[in-house]
């Protein structure tokens, strides 16, 4: 097994209420004011953090400009989240055996992990695993890849860092429904997680144990979610059939995983899942025969921070650790979906 010790989330310094965002967008798109108000209410987001001010958002120009800002703002956010999770666990960067990073709102080559490793003086033998293109799936996928590593390296320590600066993908000229929804929903943030193998001394201090997981790829659904890469940056691709895909696939996917793990559905007591949006959360609840309170931390994260793509589920994980969600021995699920279209579902146990 593998064990989750801690998760820590940090946010950029600019904080906006949803009403402030609507007022800002309404000055740009006055003819879309009613639609913006409708979407802003429907997405159930109250507040969001942005890495730049709304005035700076208006000055976003080329892809290069946006990506330069991503590098400038993402790196210190990741550093801060790592410092917090290391302090919380007592682990040092020299002890990290594998370092997994994920982001889908910007990139650098050499990749983000190498920049962080140079700045924070990691062990030069640390194994790197940068993940790009996973989007909202990135947080759960990273936890599962860490689990794979720790199955074979039972005394190992894995650090996971996710950072998403969704505000930098804003397309001022794009008045499509997809972009209106995106500008009403997405926020910025970074998070880091420490996991250890079952023979590591810190395993006994863990909050949750990963029992098993599986990944599910849905053919011919690549147009469901992703980016169109433009000279002006990332243009959102978001199909309205996401909740339909969840309803049509997640119940069977869950049963396949439960059968493999020899777990009964009624034994699942809680959820730590990605808050993709209200319709996705409701579809997940229906698929799992669970209630809104079973997803309370997912709803809370959505309201307070919006959808932060790969970062969101790690924020939900942090809240669940702080709340001591679940009773000792209880089983829960983590789930997320992302570009591909793809989902991963994970069975976890409260320690």
């Amino acid at each position: 097994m593998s064990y989750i010790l801690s998760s820590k989330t940090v946010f950029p310094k600019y904080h906006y209420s949803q009403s402030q965002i609507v007022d800002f967008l309404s000055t740009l798109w006055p003819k879309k004011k009613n639609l913006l108000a409708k979407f802003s209410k429907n997405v159930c987001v109250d507040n969001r953090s942005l890495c730049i001010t709304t005035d700076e958002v208006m000055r976003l120009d080329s892809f290069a400009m946006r990506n330069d800002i991503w590098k400038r703002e993402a790196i210190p956010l990741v550093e801060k989240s790592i410092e917090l999770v290391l302090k919380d666990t007592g682990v040092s960067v020299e002890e990290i055996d594998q370092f997994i990073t994920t982001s889908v709102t910007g990139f650098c080559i050499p990749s983000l992990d190498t920049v962080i490793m140079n700045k924070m003086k990691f062990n030069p033998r640390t194994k790197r695993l940068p993940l790009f293109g996973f989007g909202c799936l990135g947080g759960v996928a990273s936890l599962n890849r860490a689990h794979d590593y720790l199955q074979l390296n039972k005394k190992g320590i894995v650090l996971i860092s996710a950072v998403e600066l969704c505000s930098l993908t804003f397309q001022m000229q794009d008045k499509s429904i997809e972009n209106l929804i995106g500008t009403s929903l997405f926020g910025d943030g970074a998070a880091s997680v420490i996991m250890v193998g079952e023979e590591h001394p810190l395993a006994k201090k863990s909050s949750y144990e990963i029992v098993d997981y599986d990944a599910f790829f849905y053919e011919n659904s690549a147009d469901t979610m992703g980016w169109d890469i433009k000279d002006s940056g990332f243009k959102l691709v978001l199909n309205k059939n996401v909740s339909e895909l969840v309803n049509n696939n997640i119940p069977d996917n869950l049963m396949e995983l439960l059968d493999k793990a020899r777990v009964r559905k009624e034994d699942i007591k809680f959820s730590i899942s990605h808050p993709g949006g209200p319709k996705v959360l409701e579809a997940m609840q229906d698929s799992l025969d669970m209630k809104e309170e079973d997803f309370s931390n997912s709803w809370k994260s959505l309201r307070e921070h919006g959808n932060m793509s790969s970062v969101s589920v790690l924020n939900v994980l942090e809240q669940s650790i702080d709340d001591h969600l679940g009773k000792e021995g209880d089983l829960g699920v983590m789930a997320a979906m992302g570009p591909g279209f793809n989902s991963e579902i994970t069975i976890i146990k409260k320690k």
Side-chain angles (χ1 to χ4, degrees), residues 12-16 49-60 65 69 72-73 165 167-168 188:
K13 59 183 177 181
Y14 301 110
H15 307 286
Y16 291 93
S49 299
L50 307 183
C51 68
I52 56 178
T53 66
T54 51
D55 288 340
E56 291 173 301
V57 168
M58 291 184 65
R59 296 195 291 270
L60 289 174
M65 176 187 182
I69 296 173
R72 183 190 77 200
E73 300 295 333
L165 305 182
S167 59
L168 299 180
D188 298 353

Side-chain angles (χ1 to χ4, degrees), residues 159-171:
L159 170 65
I160 297 162
S161 293
V163 59
E164 303 290 5
L165 305 182
C166 302
S167 59
L168 299 180
T169 68
F170 175 70
Q171 298 286 318

Side-chain angles (χ1 to χ4, degrees), residues 94-108:
E94 293 85 0
E95 296 177 274
I96 302 299
D97 296 297
Q98 185 184 52
F99 184 26
I100 301 173
T101 54
T102 186
S103 182
V104 76
T105 52
F107 62 90
C108 53

Side-chain angles (χ1 to χ4, degrees), residues 23 25 29-30 49 52 116 118 137 156 161 164 185 190 193-195 242-243 246 253 256 289 308 310 318 339 351:
D23 289 343
L25 294 172
W29 304 325
S49 299
I52 56 178
I116 298 297
N118 276 316
L137 181 60
S161 293
E164 303 290 5
L185 179 62
V193 175
I194 291 285
M195 292 177 58
V242 175
S243 56
V246 174
N253 296 158
E256 290 175 42
D289 295 329
M308 298 178 287
S310 65
E318 177 183 7
K351 299 299 292 178

Side-chain angles (χ1 to χ4, degrees), residues 186-209:
F186 289 100
D188 298 353
S192 290
V193 175
I194 291 285
M195 292 177 58
V196 298
E198 61 184 21
E199 293 181 11
H200 194 282
L202 289 175
K204 61 181 180 291
K205 296 183 178 181
S206 67
S207 299
Y208 297 101
E209 169 190 340

Side-chain angles (χ1 to χ4, degrees), residues 167-191:
S167 59
L168 299 180
T169 68
F170 175 70
Q171 298 286 318
M172 190 164 57
Q173 304 305 320
D174 180 9
K175 300 177 185 178
S176 66
I177 296 297
E178 294 83 2
N179 196 44
L180 295 184
I181 294 173
T183 53
S184 302
L185 179 62
F186 289 100
D188 298 353

Side-chain angles (χ1 to χ4, degrees), residues 68-291:
D68 284 345
I69 296 173
W70 180 87
K71 287 186 283 187
R72 183 190 77 200
E73 300 295 333
I75 292 167
L77 285 174
V78 172
E79 284 185 279
K80 185 176 178 181
S81 70
I82 291 174
E83 290 167 357
L84 289 174
V85 82
L86 292 178
K87 182 178 179 181
D88 190 49
T89 58
V91 171
S92 69
V93 289
E94 293 85 0
E95 296 177 274
I96 302 299
D97 296 297
Q98 185 184 52
F99 184 26
I100 301 173
T101 54
T102 186
S103 182
V104 76
T105 52
F107 62 90
C108 53
I109 302 173
S111 53
L112 176 64
D113 52 310
T114 63
V115 178
I116 298 297
M117 288 174 68
N118 276 316
K119 290 177 70 67
M120 300 188 75
K121 307 301 181 185
F122 277 58
N123 185 326
R125 296 179 65 184
T126 302
K127 287 81 176 174
R128 302 166 43 223
L129 183 58
L131 302 178
F132 180 80
F134 280 72
C136 295
L137 181 60
V140 171
S142 295
L143 294 167
N144 290 340
R145 301 306 170 272
H147 175 70
D148 289 340
Y149 178 85
L150 293 169
Q151 292 275 56
L152 298 175
N153 300 273
K154 299 183 186 299
K155 296 181 180 180
I157 303 178
V158 178
L159 170 65
I160 297 162
S161 293
V163 59
E164 303 290 5
L165 305 182
C166 302
S167 59
L168 299 180
T169 68
F170 175 70
Q171 298 286 318
M172 190 164 57
Q173 304 305 320
D174 180 9
K175 300 177 185 178
S176 66
I177 296 297
E178 294 83 2
N179 196 44
L180 295 184
I181 294 173
T183 53
S184 302
L185 179 62
F186 289 100
D188 298 353
S192 290
V193 175
I194 291 285
M195 292 177 58
V196 298
E198 61 184 21
E199 293 181 11
H200 194 282
L202 289 175
K204 61 181 180 291
K205 296 183 178 181
S206 67
S207 299
Y208 297 101
E209 169 190 340
I210 292 184
V211 176
D212 203 353
Y213 82 91
D214 218 334
F216 305 92
F217 181 76
Y218 311 126
E219 294 181 351
N220 303 316
S221 59
D223 62 345
T224 298
M225 184 183 293
W227 300 117
D228 278 338
I229 311 300
K230 305 290 185 182
D231 290 341
S232 59
F234 295 123
K235 181 181 182 298
L236 182 65
V237 174
L238 185 62
N239 196 303
K240 63 182 179 181
N241 69 342
V242 175
S243 56
E244 182 181 335
L245 274 169
V246 174
N247 280 321
N248 290 344
N249 292 282
I250 293 297
D252 289 341
N253 296 158
L254 177 64
M255 291 311 300
E256 290 175 42
L257 173 59
L258 294 179
D259 287 345
K260 185 180 77 165
R262 298 180 181 179
V263 172
R264 299 177 303 169
K265 188 175 181 179
E266 54 266 31
D267 292 332
I268 301 298
K269 303 298 184 183
F270 62 92
S271 169
I272 301 176
S273 291
H274 172 68
K279 288 186 178 180
V280 175
L281 279 176
E282 289 164 0
M284 284 287 297
Q285 289 165 192
D286 292 342
S287 299
L288 299 172
D289 295 329
M290 299 178 86
K291 300 177 181 178

